Amino acid sequence: LFLTQVLAILCFSHAVAWAFRKLGQPPVVGEMVAGIAMGPTLFGSLVPSAYAWLFPPSSLGPLSTLSEIGLMLFLLLVGVHVDLRQALRASRVTMFTSLGSITLPLVAGLALGYGLLPKYGHGNATAFVLFVATAISVTAFPVLARILGERKLLATPVGSVSLLSAAMVDLVG
């Protein structure tokens, strides 16, 4: 079952990534769409019996572990290819980029959290609003790293500053 799951995920995500590449979009965006489509939201709703057969709850542990290992290895490889000296030379730019990229989403997240509070907030209101604000303001670091890698921008000053800024934003979050 595990090998069937991995094969299905790889084939489907590769096909959707290929289609997105043909549309001029980053393949990683296609892979995210494939993940949503193969999950309980779409595949599980449209064909629940097939979803239950392919992804029974008892089998999700090893699949989750494999995905975490893959993510860690990917981030390790990204770290090997990033020139931190470039980003540190531009430390002022990196700092202001980080500050700018977290401020607006954080403020918007605070407003959104406050707006959602009456309908979805249960328990500690402050914790709920801060959670929504943090979730809105952090980056999708692995997605950014994939896009920069696919566009051959990891070793450039812009790529280094972008990744370091995203890492700083996520660290603050």
Side-chain angles (χ1 to χ4, degrees), residues 63-171:
L63 203 55
S64 178
T65 301
L66 179 65
S67 71
E68 294 294 327
I69 291 170
L71 180 62
M72 287 187 291
L73 289 173
F74 170 70
L75 291 175
L76 176 70
L77 289 173
V78 167
V80 167
H81 290 97
V82 171
D83 186 359
L84 278 179
R85 283 177 270 137
Q86 273 184 345
L88 292 176
R89 277 193 296 264
S91 59
R92 277 182 72 124
V93 172
T94 303
M95 184 178 59
F96 283 113
T97 302
S98 300
L99 185 61
S101 66
I102 197 171
T103 303
L104 181 62
L106 189 63
V107 170
L110 288 170
L112 179 64
Y114 185 72
L116 294 174
L117 186 60
K119 186 169 184 178
Y120 299 104
H122 303 291
N124 187 330
T126 304
F128 177 81
V129 171
L130 288 175
F131 174 79
V132 172
T134 302
I136 295 293
S137 63
V138 296
T139 63
F141 187 84
V143 174
L144 175 63
R146 279 281 308 276
I147 292 171
L148 291 173
E150 289 167 358
R151 307 277 183 194
K152 309 272 190 266
L153 295 172
L154 275 178
T156 66
V158 169
S160 298
V161 168
S162 297
L163 276 180
L164 189 56
S165 294
M168 289 172 64
V169 166
D170 284 0
L171 183 65

